[in-house]
Amino acid sequence: MRAHHVVMAVTDDMPIFEAAVPCQIFGVDRPHLADPWYRFSVVPVGSAQVRLSPGFSLAPVGQGWDPESTDTLVIPACENVHEDPPTELVDLVREAYERGIRILSICSGAFVLAAAGVLDGRRATTHWLHAEELSRRYPAVRVDPSVLYVEDADVITSAGTVAGIDACLHVVRIDHGSAVAAELARRLVTPPHRDGWQAQYHRPASPVVRDDWLAPLLEWAGEQLHMPLTTADLAAQANVSVRTVERRFAEALGMSPLRWLLQQRVRRAQQFLETSDRPVEWIADTCGFGGSAGLRAHFARIVGVSPTIYRRKFHERSDAVRVAI
């Protein structure tokens, strides 16, 4: 049997962790698990030597990318999601897609796939911090920020950092079966199968406000989250019309007042769950959900898990290191 050939394309200043994950999964020969294992190549794109952040470099080995022998193309994270990815890398991804090569992106590598048109009309994910930017720049992509990874035909996208391990193990599971993937996970001391639908445990973003008129209103509303606030209450506080409040929120934050209020309530609930032992019912009332049922419904929809599961995973204890999200 010919070994499945996995090629990772890298460019200057890509984060080292996302580049290291495929090396560890596919680049270490493991004949005790499957023989043949993978053939693995790293192809620098755009320069003779590629710098990886922080302070590492890769020199090209061999003849570069050979699309004829490539079975899977891996694209690690981008250096900067707010800039267009390198043209050479986008062209490489587009050619791979046209040739029917399986493509896997890790974290913000989804931006490269989107720039190449690979994700048009597809469901995809990326790190939850970048999901809104991905949706804004590439509206044809159906971005799901709440999952660990997404497989859509031969295109796989994953969320941030550690979720790249889950996506790579998913590839191993496809190619070599669940038993092999589980044994590899055991050797890597990582969960054998975190399903792609599992939540990223993201915290709703707190938008940067560059509107001097709106900032005092947001500060006031943030102190009143325990109250059943409405858009009319915000308008009355600012002494303007409801339409004016809705327009200023849309212009400054890109969302409605009620959506902003809901996100702030969820953020406040996350803080209580992480740092206190208060009952869920008390948190629900204090954060303005009007009861535990409302908290559970909105929390699960936005964060991806129930308040109880979230507390179990992120509660701050004296004998444990706090997990930052």
Side-chain angles (χ1 to χ4, degrees):
M1 291 177 58
R2 181 180 72 86
H4 187 104
H5 189 192
V6 176
V7 173
M8 181 174 69
V10 296
T11 58
D12 277 342
D13 297 322
M14 277 185 170
I16 185 64
F17 185 93
E18 285 78 359
V21 167
C23 295
Q24 181 66 29
I25 300 293
F26 306 113
V28 177
D29 193 24
R30 306 179 190 275
H32 53 286
L33 293 180
D35 191 14
W37 190 241
Y38 291 93
R39 176 186 166 201
F40 182 71
S41 304
V42 177
V43 176
V45 177
S47 64
Q49 185 162 299
V50 172
R51 300 181 304 276
L52 296 179
S53 175
F56 294 86
S57 64
L58 288 173
V61 177
Q63 301 301 314
W65 185 52
D66 177 13
E68 295 292 340
S69 70
T70 301
D71 299 299
T72 297
L73 177 67
V74 179
I75 306 297
C78 295
E79 174 198 359
N80 187 343
V81 300
H82 301 290
E83 297 179 357
D84 291 334
T87 301
E88 292 177 74
L89 183 59
V90 173
D91 290 343
L92 186 150
V93 169
R94 187 178 292 117
E95 180 182 359
Y97 178 66
E98 291 172 351
R99 287 176 173 269
I101 294 171
R102 181 171 61 191
I103 303 175
L104 163 66
S105 70
I106 298 176
C107 192
S108 56
F111 283 78
V112 182
L113 274 59
V118 171
L119 299 183
D120 287 357
R122 293 182 184 272
R123 180 170 163 266
T125 193
T126 186
H127 194 296
W128 62 267
L129 279 173
H130 307 313
E132 192 169 317
E133 177 69 9
L134 184 62
S135 294
R136 184 188 68 79
R137 289 175 56 188
Y138 304 102
V141 182
R142 292 155 41 213
V143 181
D144 186 346
S146 65
V147 295
L148 295 180
Y149 59 85
V150 171
E151 179 186 9
D152 190 328
D154 280 338
V155 178
I156 302 171
T157 53
S158 81
T161 314
V162 178
I165 299 176
D166 298 293
C168 288
L169 286 173
H170 179 65
V171 169
V172 174
R173 190 175 302 110
I174 293 171
D175 296 339
H176 295 290
S178 298
V180 171
E183 179 60 22
L184 175 56
R186 194 165 71 91
R187 291 168 184 263
L188 296 175
V189 196
T190 190
H193 186 196
R194 293 203 300 169
D195 192 273
W197 286 93
Q198 184 166 325
Q200 290 188 42
Y201 305 117
H202 71 285
R203 187 194 298 276
S206 183
V208 177
V209 181
R210 297 184 177 88
D211 187 319
D212 293 338
W213 178 89
L214 191 58
L217 180 60
L218 297 186
E219 182 178 359
W220 174 83
E223 296 172 351
Q224 314 297 323
L225 292 179
H226 59 287
M227 300 293 292
L229 294 177
T230 65
T231 304
D233 294 326
L234 298 178
Q237 174 65 22
N239 197 27
V240 296
S241 68
V242 168
R243 180 172 296 181
T244 297
V245 170
E246 291 175 338
R247 177 174 56 81
R248 297 300 284 265
F249 267 78
E251 292 173 350
L253 302 179
M255 65 182 71
S256 69
L258 294 181
R259 180 183 172 192
W260 179 86
L261 282 168
L262 179 58
Q263 289 191 354
Q264 301 314 299
R265 296 187 198 282
V266 170
R267 284 176 60 85
R268 184 71 55 81
Q270 285 178 298
Q271 292 168 358
F272 281 123
L273 291 167
E274 292 170 10
T275 61
S276 79
D277 293 313
R278 294 282 192 173
V280 170
E281 291 75 12
W282 182 92
I283 295 175
D285 291 338
T286 303
C287 296
F289 285 99
S292 58
L295 168 61
R296 292 188 176 94
H298 291 298
F299 196 94
R301 180 174 60 83
I302 294 176
V303 181
V305 294
S306 70
T308 301
I309 292 176
Y310 185 87
R311 166 174 273 169
R312 188 183 306 142
K313 290 183 176 293
F314 294 106
H315 188 268
E316 187 180 65
R317 301 184 186 280
S318 60
D319 59 346
V321 177
R322 181 177 182 181
V323 179
I325 62 171

